[in-house]
Amino acid sequence: MKYPAVAVVIVNYNGKNWLARCLESLRRTDYPDFRTILVDNDSRDGSVGFVATKFPEVEVIGAGGNLGFCEGNNLGIRRGLEGGAEFVALLNPDTWVEPEWLRCLVEASSRDRQLGIVGAVQLRYDGDDFNSWTTSAFPALLAELKSPEEARRSIPVEWVEGACLLIKRAVLNEVGWLDPIFFAFYEEIDLCRRVRAQGYTIGLIPRSRIHHFRGGSWESTPALHRERNFRCDRSQFIYELTDPERSRVANLAAGLRTLATKLRGAVSERSVARIIDLLRILIGLIRLAGPIGRKWSNDRMIWQSSACKSNE
């Protein structure tokens, strides 16, 4: 049996403490044809030397700076496709995987041409219970997910998290890669939205399971935690402002409502830092008005074209 080649891309930023368990678990992966590409976003914690010494099978690419999750993954995606990969799997360093995780993803995606992206079920890093993403994103599916052998092979969902997703080479060539306008957060939700706009579906694969801490190096210091919240809020606004199924005016109204809600929360908490960060985001979004508008126009055109085809 011929197995499609897979490139597993991991973007690392000062994640040395997580990498040993992650990469050790990849060594136990039962899929026969994959290679691991680690993109390092200018870590200062010895990550690169550690991986080179302990995991020589891993290809390490130095990003030359902190390019963020999007551009870091895009570097790895490019290397994987250049190497002939038929699938690319994105995986966070603060994860460890069950041996069959990748095989289940590839098998499910290979069976169904309409499946553009598939993702694994996420469990707690230190146990076998569902983690917070699984419980919050799929509350209606928890009963089914508790019995993976009895569950559907693939469950249709709107999106899966970038901590672990698999995408076909053909879909990447058609839809494009992660959009660097986001830097970090919401980029995988945007990718799933663009994939759906092209007529593909997104699937959660119950038999594919990983353990995910969630947060990783973002939670290592108060400053990084604040930066995480800033990046997440910024990306949420960009995602809302570029929804191709709504008009520009409707997107702007949605963004203003979200801003008002976040500002009210910051005022009630008396968080001056949060208010300042939200105002910084607002100024930055005004400066990004051109790229945001162009992204909306491009995504809108693709969505309308797909909608017309489905109605024919």
Side-chain angles (χ1 to χ4, degrees):
M1 178 179 177
K2 185 179 184 300
Y3 292 88
V6 180
V8 177
V9 177
I10 300 172
V11 174
N12 175 67
Y13 177 67
N14 293 328
K16 179 182 175 183
N17 292 338
W18 305 101
L19 288 173
R21 191 168 190 182
C22 178
L23 297 178
E24 283 286 1
S25 71
L26 284 175
R27 282 177 170 171
R28 296 189 293 273
T29 293
D30 67 8
Y31 191 78
D33 191 1
F34 78 96
R35 64 173 175 143
T36 304
I37 301 168
L38 186 136
V39 180
D40 188 76
N41 270 339
D42 200 27
S43 296
R44 304 302 172 89
D45 65 347
S47 292
V48 172
F50 171 75
V51 173
T53 301
K54 299 294 185 180
F55 300 93
E57 72 275 15
V58 175
E59 179 181 2
V60 178
I61 302 173
N66 186 1
L67 302 185
F69 187 82
C70 294
E71 286 287 63
N73 269 301
N74 285 343
L75 273 180
I77 290 170
R78 179 178 294 108
R79 184 64 62 89
L81 296 182
E82 289 173 349
E86 290 302 316
F87 291 88
V88 174
L90 306 186
L91 187 69
N92 275 17
D94 62 338
T95 64
W96 59 276
V97 298
E98 300 285 351
E100 67 279 6
W101 77 284
L102 187 54
R103 175 174 51 81
C104 292
L105 293 178
V106 174
E107 287 178 353
S109 187
S110 298
R111 284 194 191 99
D112 187 347
R113 291 185 179 181
Q114 287 303 111
L115 269 177
I117 293 177
V118 292
V121 174
Q122 295 186 27
L123 310 175
R124 290 172 54 87
Y125 190 80
D126 55 356
D128 292 327
D129 296 328
F130 299 128
N131 73 358
S132 58
W133 177 73
T134 303
T135 56
S136 61
F138 309 116
L141 300 178
L142 298 182
E144 182 175 5
L145 295 177
K146 286 179 180 178
S147 302
E149 298 303 320
E150 300 173 9
R152 288 167 284 177
R153 288 186 178 272
S154 174
I155 302 175
V157 293
E158 285 195 4
W159 66 285
V160 292
E161 198 174 43
C164 179
L165 64 78
L166 181 86
I167 185 169
K168 296 170 179 171
R169 178 191 190 97
V171 176
L172 284 168
N173 290 339
E174 183 177 352
V175 176
W177 305 351
L178 298 177
D179 194 324
I181 196 172
F182 290 99
F183 186 82
F185 303 108
Y186 281 81
E187 65 288 305
E188 80 274 60
I189 310 178
D190 172 73
L191 180 63
C192 288
R193 184 167 69 183
R194 287 187 282 127
V195 166
R196 293 198 317 273
Q198 290 282 18
Y200 294 100
T201 56
I202 313 297
L204 183 68
I205 311 305
R207 297 185 187 184
S208 177
R209 306 215 157 198
I210 69 161
H211 300 256
H212 184 199
F213 180 82
R214 304 200 78 214
S217 59
W218 286 108
E219 303 299 329
S220 58
T221 67
L224 281 173
H225 179 76
R226 178 180 176 182
E227 177 72 7
R228 179 192 185 281
N229 290 339
F230 173 86
R231 293 290 182 186
C232 192
D233 285 339
R234 175 185 179 275
S235 292
Q236 181 183 353
F237 285 118
I238 294 173
Y239 182 76
E240 288 188 347
L241 291 170
T242 55
D243 187 338
E245 297 188 40
R246 298 189 304 219
S247 68
R248 291 179 190 268
V249 173
N251 283 341
L252 180 60
L256 290 174
R257 286 194 299 270
T258 299
L259 177 62
T261 299
K262 290 181 181 292
L263 280 173
R264 281 197 300 270
V267 170
S268 67
E269 296 168 4
R270 298 181 181 179
S271 175
V272 175
R274 182 110 168 99
I275 294 172
I276 291 173
D277 285 345
L278 288 170
L279 293 177
R280 285 173 57 208
I281 291 170
L282 179 59
I283 293 170
L285 292 176
I286 293 172
R287 291 173 176 169
L288 272 177
I292 288 173
R294 287 190 292 273
K295 174 174 173 55
W296 175 83
S297 295
N298 291 336
D299 291 356
R300 176 85 165 181
M301 182 171 57
I302 293 170
W303 175 76
Q304 288 179 330
S305 174
S306 178
C308 288
K309 288 180 182 178
S310 65
N311 290 330
E312 290 178 355

